[in-house]
Amino acid sequence: MYCMHRITGALLATATLFIAGIQPAAAQSYPERPIRLIVPFPPGGGTDSIAREAANKVASTNGWNIVTENRPGAGGNLGIDAVAKAPADGYTIGLGQTSNLAINPTLYSSLPYDPETDLVPIGQVASAPLVLVVSTESPYKTIEEILAFARENPTELDYATSGNGTVAHLTVEQLQKLAGIQFTHIPYKGAAQGANDLIGGQVDMYMSSVPTLIGHIRNGKMRAIAVTSLNRTDDLPDVPTLAESGFPGFEAVTWFGLVGPKGMPPEAVQKLNTAFNAALQAEDVRAKYATQGAEASPGTAEAFGELIRTEKARWGQIVKDAGARVD
């Protein structure tokens, strides 16, 4: 019996050493196959551009294969839900943002995932202010002119966003409440179609992130009315802020960050975080983001998790105060 115990103990010790030896090797070999990066909005928008710029840099620098997949719909919820329900093996990640990680848990009466219990933070990628635009054919040149018309003609002016529950949607809800006016919301599944309809005259205004719309502003197809940062942005120095246009302290910034399914191997989270942080610190990536009106925001997975928690509480209160709801 004593001999059997000694043999069993020796086998367990050998097995433990064997497993311990495998785990570091497995961590070092990750990734062994393509990584799927889900972008919860259509191709061509600001979120898609931010995701692909960072992913391409990581892939080219590390020799990894990162496949970007667009899964638009429901204000980004469909794509993030696909991430939450994917195998937690480190080979499916997603680019979440303020809307689908911080706003929608309160805005939607039934969300198929919980950002804090069904997802693991990997790291923040970028941040950017929003901008309110009109077509260059529009008669409106200032926010004061728009608000004056809206006060006399409730709901007659409409505005587009890339979906219910997005930062843009809630930002306009805030503006309407503060200004005592009412627009009509036209939600789209992504940025491209809404932008085309604005240029074509089908909608009056568009609220979205600066990276989404800055190309149209620069090529003269859209007129920027106001930005939502506290201070003017270097990319649009002549465009006033809402804070200086009669709404002191008004600020709304959208942020973007990588998440994976809960239960992802910590080694995969750390390796992804390290690789993307290096990409975000590269001068060419930072310069490309700057031209798009965004700022690269590298950081730890823990810091991004804290951002999600605090922003979820902040935007959740804004949703409740605005009385907004999507069922």
Side-chain angles (χ1 to χ4, degrees):
M1 191 69 171
Y2 173 72
C3 183
M4 180 62 71
H5 278 306
R6 289 188 63 184
I7 293 172
T8 303
L11 288 173
L12 286 172
T14 302
T16 300
L17 288 171
F18 179 72
I19 293 169
I22 286 178
Q23 286 177 334
Q28 289 171 5
S29 62
Y30 173 87
E32 297 180 302
R33 61 179 190 270
I35 298 170
R36 182 172 59 144
L37 171 56
I38 294 178
V39 177
F41 291 98
T47 303
D48 183 65
S49 178
I50 284 171
R52 290 177 187 273
E53 188 67 31
N56 289 343
K57 185 67 173 181
V58 169
S60 63
T61 301
N62 297 278
W64 296 358
N65 186 355
I66 301 179
V67 180
T68 303
E69 176 184 327
N70 296 90
R71 285 276 196 99
N77 293 348
L78 295 184
I80 297 302
D81 186 46
V83 175
K85 291 178 171 54
D89 54 12
Y91 289 93
T92 299
I93 60 176
L95 188 75
Q97 57 185 167
T98 316
S99 58
N100 41 56
L101 296 180
I103 294 175
N104 292 357
T106 305
L107 185 71
Y108 283 76
S109 58
S110 178
L111 201 63
Y113 62 88
D114 186 312
E116 294 186 71
T117 60
D118 298 328
L119 297 166
V120 59
I122 296 170
Q124 189 176 350
V125 172
S127 62
L130 309 180
V131 59
L132 180 68
V133 299
V134 296
S135 164
T136 50
E137 303 301 318
S138 170
Y140 305 109
K141 293 181 171 61
T142 67
I143 188 66
E144 289 81 9
E145 293 174 352
I146 290 172
L147 297 180
F149 182 87
R151 289 188 182 101
E152 297 295 326
N153 305 273
T155 72
E156 189 166 327
L157 289 177
D158 54 41
Y159 73 97
T161 71
S162 57
N164 285 315
T166 57
V167 181
H169 175 203
L170 266 292
T171 297
V172 178
E173 288 289 333
Q174 279 186 281
L175 176 61
Q176 290 179 128
K177 184 175 182 180
L178 292 171
I181 50 93
Q182 186 67 47
F183 300 132
T184 297
H185 182 210
I186 310 294
Y188 286 81
K189 288 186 177 181
Q193 186 59 51
N196 290 336
D197 282 359
L198 178 78
I199 294 169
Q202 280 75 49
V203 292
D204 297 310
M205 300 175 287
Y206 198 122
M207 177 71 90
S208 192
S209 67
V210 171
T212 298
L213 302 178
I214 196 166
H216 295 296
I217 296 168
R218 286 173 174 161
N219 67 21
K221 292 184 178 180
M222 293 182 182
R223 178 185 301 131
I225 298 296
V227 293
T228 63
S229 47
L230 278 178
N231 301 305
R232 296 194 184 196
T233 172
D234 292 340
D235 305 285
L236 300 168
D238 298 326
V239 180
T241 67
L242 286 173
E244 67 181 278
S245 303
F247 305 96
F250 193 104
E251 181 182 28
V253 176
T254 186
W255 41 260
F256 311 82
L258 295 170
V259 293
K262 201 73 173 181
M264 258 182 72
E267 297 85 359
V269 172
Q270 183 57 53
K271 206 158 187 180
L272 286 164
N273 178 271
T274 299
F276 273 89
N277 277 346
L280 295 172
Q281 289 164 348
E283 194 56 42
D284 56 337
V285 173
R286 298 179 76 86
K288 185 63 179 292
Y289 278 6
T291 64
Q292 298 171 337
E295 180 180 355
S297 306
T300 66
E302 293 76 16
F304 184 46
E306 182 60 24
L307 177 69
I308 292 172
R309 284 188 288 275
T310 57
E311 285 283 271
K312 184 181 173 186
R314 185 174 82 88
W315 282 103
Q317 190 59 52
I318 291 172
V319 170
K320 292 173 183 175
D321 290 345
R325 201 71 177 165
V326 176
D327 294 312

